[in-house]
Amino acid sequence: MLLGYIKPAKSIPLHPICDIRVLDKFIREAKDATDSTKRCEEACALPGNFTLPKTNVNYREWETKDTGTKAEEVQTGLKLLALAVQKAQNVTVNSNMLHLIERSYSNLRSITQMVRSFSTPDTLNRERELQTTFNTRSLRTIFHVYLSFLQGKVRLFFLHTEACNLATS
Amino acid sequence: MSRYICTFPTRDVSLFAPLEIEVSLNSSVIMSRQDIYINYVVILDPPSNVTVQRTEKPNQLHVQWSAPQLKHLENSIMYEVSISSVGSSVQKVETIKKTECIFAKLKLQTEYLVSVRAKPDGVSIDGYWTIWSKPVSAMTGSDLDPLILSLSLALIMIAMLLFLTMLMTRRRVIKEKIWPLVPSPENMFDGLFTVYRGNFQEWLGRSSAHILWNLQFFSSEEPATALEIMSEIKTFPPDLAKVKHQEIFLDEQSFLVSRSDPFKLQGGPLMDEGKQPAGAQVAPNNREVYVVLNQNFLPGGTSLFDAHRLTPGSNDVSDEEMPLQLLFESPRTSSRWDRSPAGEEDSFRDASMSRQSSVSRQSSLSSGIEQGSPVTPAHFDYAKYGPGGQLLYLSPRGFKLERNRNHPYLHMSDSGVSADFSIMDFQSRRNTADTGIYTNLCRREDLPECLQASNSESLTNHLRSNLS
């Protein structure tokens, strides 16, 4: 009788967590990482090139874009950041930096998950064409870009997406 | 050092990316180069439309303002509200992200100034504090709400009205409690206050309620008793007014005198020895009148003892009326009395005249009787002595016991109404031997004539012999 009442649980999350406070928390953590790498000019040098998205946001430009484009930009940017952080994680030897990098990587994965939950799948294919990128070799630049990307595009996307019920406090 | 300001249009400005600013002189000399993040150096306008309102509680204030109208900065601005009472330093500062605020626990009846400033919260956008908004003043409330005041006043008025109406209706009762009525005794005394104006003496004396009042307050348990006439008394002299035993004496002078003429005559010679009592009228209150206890002297049988003519053999004497009359009696005197009433006057006179000298008197008495002259009546003089031997009463002729020892006299002791005096005895003794009335005769040694009760017969015989 007890088994009868057990229903199969859904594999996907019931509802996308679209809470701006979660994003703000990620942003704060990214800011901590950025502050910790401010003074490391030489130690933060990484071998190889890392491709990072451009994070500049113009409000007027942003408002002209549609939701699909916004979602695509956010998703491709998050993907690039994730690859770069992962690459940096493999290369970094310093334990402090490694901690920061790992935490950033996990946050990125969460954010990517959140964005994917409330975005349509057809936008995923256009990610490479529209995105502008630039290369860097510094860890500090990686963190900066990561932070800026979260503060800018991701946040704006979170705030003005209709599918996302923002619980702003 | 001069200051240069460059302004860029917003479409050319990108946030969230490092912006490289290079200042060069004449496009060849680079003066400075800087990478800035614009989203970190944001300065907003100060908050506008600041309003301060009072809430339900008198010590609270509600502050509201409008946010800066930047579309993409809605949730990234924090505010600071400052409230301070007039004339003092800043009291409270609250940092919130909402556009409204409530200040509690403020002072009552004080004026407060409120101002607000804003700043980006620093999460994605950072900047500097704006300037303070223009201060807005507001007054806190007071404890005495006018509504409560009016309600309490109305309540007090209603309570006072109620009290007044109760006082008016119960005025009589309250007055009785404070000033109790003094009871008046008017209804107990008829006419005392109305007719006699409170004069109790008059009311007692004149009103018919006197008898009732007396009866009510002085109830005598003893019924009125009939007074038995023991003797006809003369008015007693004033010096004996204090004697208690005078109560048994009755003033019957008028009664005696009016009935018989010789009584009148008796009064005359008794008073004045030398006078000729010819029809002298004796005043009823003449103290010299005395009683003759011999019925034979009475004219025509009209006497006090009219219905009871005494003869030696007569039995129908009313003892109550005449207990003493039989002391002296003689059958001869009665006949002689009828014959010559005029001569009795002489006899009386003689008797009175001879009173001063005992011997002559006695002889005249005896001679008067023996000679057939009108009967010389016997006189009954009595003197009354108190228990201690003092003279209480003396008959008006000044009869003194110790002087006139030669003529018979009877010494009696009596304690008022004598219980020894027996009417039946009197009756029997009369029938038998014409005994004297007094049976309780005392004994006195120095008086040969004083006889005991057993010798009453001898006494009477002795007396009779003297008279005859």
Side-chain angles (χ1 to χ4, degrees), chain B residues 154-393:
Chain B
L155 203 67
I156 289 171
M157 296 268 296
I158 289 170
M160 279 186 66
L161 266 172
L162 269 173
F163 180 68
L164 276 172
T165 51
M166 212 187 62
L167 203 68
M168 286 302 146
T169 52
R170 303 270 181 270
R171 185 174 42 196
R172 193 171 47 82
V173 173
I174 289 172
K175 200 171 180 183
E176 247 181 57
K177 284 222 198 298
I178 297 175
W179 299 101
L181 296 173
V182 178
S184 164
E186 277 184 0
N187 48 357
M188 291 298 291
F189 303 94
D190 288 334
L192 172 58
F193 290 103
T194 57
V195 179
Y196 295 100
R197 292 184 304 274
N199 193 335
F200 195 65
Q201 305 278 348
E202 285 182 9
W203 178 77
L204 266 185
R206 296 177 190 177
S207 80
S208 62
H210 167 58
I211 298 172
L212 292 176
W213 202 78
N214 271 338
L215 282 180
Q216 183 181 359
F217 293 105
F218 304 110
S219 61
S220 67
E221 295 160 358
E222 307 164 348
T225 58
L227 187 61
E228 202 170 296
I229 300 176
M230 300 296 291
S231 66
E232 290 89 6
I233 61 167
K234 309 164 189 172
T235 55
F236 37 85
D239 60 337
L240 293 179
K242 299 174 188 174
V243 175
K244 187 181 176 180
H245 288 152
Q246 292 169 4
E247 292 173 359
I248 61 173
F249 299 150
L250 294 177
D251 191 358
E252 299 262 349
Q253 297 171 13
S254 59
F255 183 61
L256 292 172
V257 172
S258 62
R259 290 287 185 105
S260 58
D261 294 334
F263 283 12
K264 298 176 189 175
L265 296 174
Q266 287 172 16
L270 292 176
M271 291 178 63
D272 303 321
E273 315 244 344
K275 280 190 181 175
Q276 302 295 322
Q281 294 288 331
V282 178
N285 52 355
N286 187 6
R287 298 190 175 216
E288 299 301 321
V289 176
Y290 65 98
V291 174
V292 172
L293 293 181
N294 200 333
Q295 189 189 5
N296 299 326
F297 295 130
L298 301 176
T302 61
S303 66
L304 290 171
F305 325 108
D306 191 13
H308 316 290
R309 197 171 284 269
L310 293 179
T311 56
S314 168
N315 297 330
D316 53 350
V317 63
S318 172
D319 299 320
E320 292 81 12
E321 291 181 4
M322 200 175 51
L324 302 176
Q325 63 179 353
L326 301 178
L327 183 58
F328 305 102
E329 91 176 32
S330 170
R332 288 177 291 175
T333 58
S334 60
S335 59
R336 291 190 182 174
W337 169 254
D338 292 326
R339 270 185 279 157
S340 60
E344 292 172 356
E345 303 174 9
D346 300 332
S347 66
F348 273 97
R349 196 180 315 121
D350 293 338
S352 63
M353 289 172 64
S354 63
R355 187 144 185 247
Q356 298 299 324
S357 58
S358 59
V359 177
S360 59
R361 180 175 170 224
Q362 189 170 11
S363 60
S364 67
L365 278 174
S366 56
S367 62
I369 292 174
E370 292 171 352
Q371 293 173 3
S373 63
V375 176
T376 306
H379 306 284
F380 179 67
D381 297 317
Y382 61 92
K384 192 167 180 187
Y385 287 88
Q390 67 272 22
L391 183 62
L392 292 180
Y393 174 67

Side-chain angles (χ1 to χ4, degrees), chain B residues 112-138:
Chain B
Y112 284 95
L113 293 172
V114 180
S115 51
V116 190
R117 69 176 182 179
K119 181 177 172 286
D121 58 353
V123 175
S124 64
I125 297 173
D126 205 350
Y128 306 99
W129 283 109
T130 63
I131 55 172
W132 287 104
S133 63
K134 274 192 178 177
V136 177
S137 70

